[in-house]
Amino acid sequence: MTAGDNDIEQAAVVLRDGGLVAFPTETVYGLGADAENPAAVGRIFQAKGRPPTHPLIVHLAGLEQLEDWVKEVPATAWQLAERFWPGPLTLVLQRGPRVPLEATGGLETVAIRVPDHPVALELLSAFGGGVAAPSANRFGSVSPTTAEHVRAELGDAVDFILDGGACQVGVESTIVDVVGDRPSVLRPGGVTREDLEEALGHHLDVPATSRVRVPGQHPSHYAPRAQVVLVEPDQVAAEADLARQSGRRVGVLLPASLAGPVDAYAVIAVPDSMPAYARGLYGFLRELDGRGCDLIIASLPVEQGLGLAIANRLRRAAGPR
Ligand code: TXA
Ligand code: MG
């Protein structure tokens, strides 16, 4: 299902009136409001149950708008924006006067991205301004990758939902801080470390779980209802068996290459291809929750390419609550 011109116009009106619009991006669905309207931005935090100190990403229709929203654009920022926008890359820069502190959680920096999805870009063009949007889920839970996920989780808290089908990337954008001398990755995501390094021409450190303390980077982010336990790939079957014997309703994310008999309540064979795994990841976690599993056993993929973002989200899902 795809949103039509009429839907886009209606959604733009909702944004102008200070309302909330859920919209598809290539990564996950966003919950958007007029970035320059503090009251509208406040409604995002309310709808999500998110603490007001957690900064939001401001979405723009194109690279040419970047200068309107930030104090200055360092050379590295231009370089990355030109190479990866529209796309799953978010840049953290110094806040310009157009960005209210409500959108940045009080920070003097702002996160900006141009998403690569036709519906998102049409909405942003029709609206004209910046759209502040976190992922369209309740605080701490798994990001939505279909309009149905948004409806199920936020329902009436959203004024308008644009349906753009299933998200193609499936994990959130990569966040790169370009304020200091050296760019640093705050969250691995849809743009891989390898692609960033190639564009920059030098090595980048990407901690598995961010060592940088940023509000909104709690370990228990991206968590399904069920408890998540990570084990070595060759231990998945044995761990599932043990947990089942102790009466748990066990869901398993089983690497397809290891597919053998596993005795569990629900088994999902995860794709060997990292882009396909990333696309499916949040849907798999939701499915296991939906089937009533109280424990999810999974293993970490090799942390290369999109495997890095997948492993980051699985670690957080398994983190302390
Ligand atoms: O792919 C994505 O990035 C999706 C789509 C909708 O664009 N958005 C998303 O937003 O994942 P959210 O709010 O769920 O995560 C954005 C994260 C925040 O949790 C915060 O850690 C970081 O971006 N962030 C935002 N502004 C920041 C800033 N000024 N400095 C450092 N980190 C910031
Ligand atoms: Mg989020």
Side-chain angles (χ1 to χ4, degrees):
M1 213 177 125
T2 312
D5 291 351
N6 199 27
D7 297 319
I8 302 275
E9 270 315 314
Q10 256 181 283
V13 169
V14 170
L15 289 176
R16 275 179 216 121
D17 289 345
L20 299 185
V21 173
F23 62 97
T25 80
E26 79 280 34
T27 58
V28 301
Y29 274 71
L31 179 62
D34 177 356
E36 291 173 273
N37 179 339
V41 169
R43 292 190 58 210
I44 293 177
F45 290 94
Q46 228 169 13
K48 279 187 65 103
R50 171 159 159 157
T53 51
H54 286 219
L56 305 177
I57 296 173
V58 175
H59 297 72
L60 302 178
L63 170 69
E64 60 287 347
Q65 294 183 359
L66 178 60
E67 283 173 297
D68 301 340
W69 295 85
V70 300
K71 209 163 154 188
E72 58 178 353
V73 184
T76 308
W78 280 128
Q79 195 186 356
L80 293 178
E82 273 164 8
R83 167 73 175 78
F84 295 106
W85 283 354
L89 176 72
T90 295
L91 297 175
V92 172
L93 293 141
Q94 271 174 332
R95 180 179 72 91
R98 257 179 110 164
V99 185
L101 287 169
E102 282 81 359
T104 68
L107 296 174
E108 284 303 328
T109 53
V110 60
I112 306 238
R113 111 173 170 96
V114 178
D116 186 16
H117 191 291
V119 174
L121 291 172
E122 281 168 34
L123 174 67
L124 289 162
S125 297
F127 176 60
V131 172
S135 50
N137 51 278
R138 299 277 308 165
F139 178 60
S141 84
V142 172
S143 296
T145 50
T146 67
E148 199 40 55
H149 295 162
V150 180
R151 239 171 252 127
E153 196 162 325
L154 293 178
D156 291 344
V158 192
D159 299 308
F160 202 93
I161 299 178
L162 284 170
D163 191 339
C167 300
Q168 286 303 299
V169 175
V171 291
E172 298 81 354
S173 60
T174 302
I175 304 179
V176 179
D177 184 336
V178 282
V179 171
D181 297 338
R182 265 185 83 85
S184 69
V185 174
L186 302 181
R187 176 178 75 182
V191 168
T192 65
R193 174 194 15 212
E194 293 83 349
D195 284 345
L196 284 170
E197 287 178 340
E198 194 199 287
L200 291 168
H202 62 76
H203 173 81
L204 265 181
D205 283 329
V206 183
T209 41
S210 175
R211 70 206 137 79
V212 185
R213 281 173 172 265
V214 183
Q217 298 272 347
H218 285 213
S220 67
H221 252 69
Y222 316 106
R225 252 197 331 270
Q227 182 193 1
V228 177
V229 170
L230 300 175
V231 301
E232 291 301 322
D234 60 356
Q235 292 299 308
V236 170
E239 290 290 334
D241 210 38
L242 268 178
R244 188 186 53 81
Q245 284 170 29
S246 68
R248 311 282 308 259
R249 193 178 261 210
V250 183
V252 169
L253 293 182
L254 191 69
S257 53
L258 290 183
V262 173
D263 208 352
Y265 181 76
V267 179
I268 294 178
V270 301
D272 285 325
S273 134
M274 289 301 116
Y277 190 175
R279 202 174 302 132
L281 176 66
Y282 290 143
F284 299 153
L285 296 176
R286 277 175 192 269
E287 184 183 333
L288 295 176
D289 265 350
R291 293 180 65 179
C293 295
D294 55 33
L295 177 67
I296 296 173
I297 295 177
S299 57
L300 295 177
V302 176
E303 294 181 54
Q304 281 167 6
L306 282 173
L308 187 65
I310 296 169
N312 173 274
R313 303 307 187 269
L314 285 172
R315 281 206 183 87
R316 286 170 186 274
R321 304 255 166 121

